Amino acid sequence: MIRPPLSGLALATCALLPTSTPAHAAQVEVLHYWTSGGEARSIAELKKTLAARGVAWKDFAVAGGAGENAATALKARVMSGGAPSAAQVKGPAIQEWGQEGVLANIDAVAKAEKWDSLLPPSVAAIMKYKGSYVAAPVNVHRVNWLWVNPAVLKKAGAKAPATLDEFFVAADKIKAAGLIPLAHGGQPWQDATLFESVALGVGGADFYKKALVQLDPAALSGPAMLKTFDTLARMKAYIDRDAAGRDWNLATAMVINGKAGMQFMGDWAKGEFTAAGKKPGTDFLCVPAPGTARAYTFNVDSMLMFQKPKADDQKSQQVLASAIMSPQFQEVFSLNKGSIPVRAGVAKDKFDSCAQQSMADMDASSKAGTFVPSLAHNMAVGSAPQGAIMDVIARFMNSNMSSKDAVAALAKAARTR
């Protein structure tokens, strides 16, 4: 069971916290895996915001493993009875923790600040357990991007593809020009990132939701899924032989330096381009993955709150949640990380053209019902079926498995619990 919010924890109470840090400041211990340069700068800003509201930040950073190491550390802490105030957790894992009865209710601040009207409904639902907010969303990453080097296209006489048919036309021209059409890293999560964008392009958002969110057996076994694997098999022919084990940023570097023409990757790839001094629209193009312009696969970072017995700690969690959802923090975090703010009401003028397109597409897809959670990035299904599905995709990408056999294996994997 989730404890109801204690009286006096409304936002009005939080606003009355002193603006200078008292001698015995309240604190929040936060377990996270934001350890890269841009992420660390963003965390530093959040610490400043909390300090101004009288709350000290106790850091519990766990690097590596794309969050797996942090998840292991969190489980150990909770099982020992020493849960942190908050932890970086996302997607269905929020519901899994909710079932353990260890989460704190932060409805007081969410209702006072009208989170329901500020967040896309799909995101708000993920942040709740049994109808109550238990987590604060930090940002949104769009996963279904295609990153393109326009100089490579010009050399090959090709154009940026808007459809899957156009993708293969461009890929053939790039290959004929002696360059690598598709930069890719042969790691399971990268294979799954490519797969989900292809599935969305082949079958559309309704198919994607039925197959990869609802795990509907008919959708998983049907003709659209067979076509997805057929399309993926064609794409394998445009990936170089050295892709196995390659990190995603090294694949991005292939596009940056003109060795490859295109890469399917989330918007964190933009950070590699900008770090190399490249400008969007001139030195690189960000276009929706072929066939997915009207849809949006999202990856949302969030801070999950855990039950704390002391009233001061509970109040500090409320302050942390409010700070995370503030327009100021949402802006600075996304500017550093390459994502976009998850809440409405953040000014767009500091964001580049790729981010502004992402903002517009998020709004449009949310209204159209084509805003869907990323399978590859822990947003769509629980960890057990996700792992089994990703294993099938990786086997397909690294063998001569037929599309028919892959579909059968995928349907079986989706039943994993």
Side-chain angles (χ1 to χ4, degrees):
M1 296 291 291
I2 301 295
R3 294 182 183 177
L6 301 180
S7 60
L9 287 186
L11 181 63
T13 301
C14 296
L16 294 176
L17 288 170
T19 56
S20 59
T21 305
H24 301 285
Q27 73 171 15
V28 285
E29 183 185 19
V30 183
L31 190 158
H32 65 93
Y33 49 96
W34 284 317
T35 56
S36 73
E39 293 166 345
R41 289 193 296 273
S42 298
I43 290 297
E45 291 297 324
L46 185 55
K47 291 178 185 178
K48 291 178 183 177
T49 300
L50 290 174
R53 300 189 188 192
V55 176
W57 173 286
K58 183 178 180 181
D59 202 57
F60 188 175
V62 183
E68 294 176 7
N69 295 344
T72 300
L74 177 61
K75 183 176 181 180
R77 285 287 303 271
V78 176
M79 289 180 66
S80 69
S85 307
Q88 186 183 353
V89 177
K90 62 183 183 179
I94 294 173
Q95 304 305 309
E96 293 171 1
W97 277 114
Q99 293 166 11
E100 299 297 322
V102 294
L103 301 185
N105 184 315
I106 55 171
D107 271 345
V109 66
K111 290 179 179 178
E113 295 183 353
K114 298 180 173 58
W115 287 11
D116 279 347
S117 65
L118 295 174
L119 296 172
S122 298
V123 174
I126 292 171
M127 298 301 120
K128 297 177 181 180
Y129 179 68
K130 292 187 175 180
S132 293
Y133 279 98
V134 293
V138 178
N139 64 343
V140 179
H141 282 292
R142 186 181 196 174
V143 180
N144 61 314
W145 280 120
L146 183 72
W147 303 92
V148 182
N149 185 319
V152 171
L153 293 185
K154 184 176 181 180
K155 180 178 180 180
K159 67 175 184 177
T163 67
L164 285 166
D165 286 342
E166 290 179 0
F167 171 85
F168 290 111
V169 170
D172 282 333
K173 290 182 177 180
I174 294 169
K175 191 172 185 178
L179 298 169
I180 299 168
L182 183 58
H184 184 66
Q187 298 172 338
W189 74 268
Q190 292 190 64
D191 292 338
T193 297
L194 175 60
F195 167 84
E196 71 178 27
S197 284
V198 172
L200 186 61
V202 167
D206 287 342
F207 162 71
Y208 182 100
K209 285 186 281 190
K210 288 179 182 178
L212 302 182
V213 181
Q214 300 165 11
L215 301 180
D216 175 68
L220 287 165
S221 303
M225 188 58 74
L226 185 65
K227 186 176 180 181
T228 295
F229 278 107
D230 284 343
T231 304
L232 201 60
R234 288 183 66 188
M235 286 188 174
K236 286 164 62 175
Y238 299 99
I239 299 171
D240 68 294
R241 294 181 179 180
D242 297 325
R246 178 187 289 142
D247 288 336
W248 69 270
N249 57 311
L250 298 181
T252 305
M254 294 167 63
V255 180
I256 293 172
N257 61 32
K259 290 184 178 179
M262 301 176 284
Q263 181 191 21
F264 288 82
M265 188 52 60
D267 54 19
W268 48 91
K270 184 179 64 177
E272 299 297 307
F273 286 95
T274 55
K278 307 299 183 182
K279 296 182 179 179
T282 302
D283 303 310
F284 68 95
L285 306 177
C286 52
V287 298
T292 73
R294 297 181 182 276
Y296 192 115
T297 45
F298 66 85
N299 176 18
V300 175
D301 288 311
S302 55
M303 277 293 178
L304 184 61
M305 307 295 172
F306 287 84
Q307 291 177 357
K308 305 298 288 184
K310 295 182 180 180
D312 283 349
D313 291 335
Q314 296 165 8
K315 189 181 296 182
S316 296
Q317 286 175 319
Q318 299 273 337
V319 177
L320 173 63
S322 177
I324 287 170
M325 275 287 284
S326 68
Q328 296 83 359
F329 176 72
Q330 293 266 320
E331 177 185 81
V332 71
F333 188 89
S334 283
L335 285 172
N336 282 325
K337 202 167 186 284
S339 54
I340 63 172
V342 66
R343 58 157 290 161
V346 179
K348 300 178 180 180
D349 56 303
K350 292 183 182 179
F351 290 88
D352 63 27
S353 58
C354 293
Q356 290 188 19
Q357 181 182 346
S358 186
M359 291 176 182
D361 289 350
M362 181 178 79
D363 290 342
S365 62
S366 182
K367 293 173 183 176
T370 57
F371 187 65
V372 295
S374 169
L375 170 78
H377 298 276
N378 312 313
M379 296 300 302
V381 298
S383 57
Q386 181 207 27
I389 289 170
M390 288 176 64
D391 284 345
V392 172
I393 297 166
R395 291 206 313 271
F396 181 81
M397 290 293 291
N398 293 282
S399 72
N400 293 320
M401 178 187 284
S402 70
S403 296
K404 183 178 179 181
D405 288 345
V407 167
L410 193 77
K412 181 179 179 181
R415 298 194 293 270
T416 303
R417 295 293 183 269

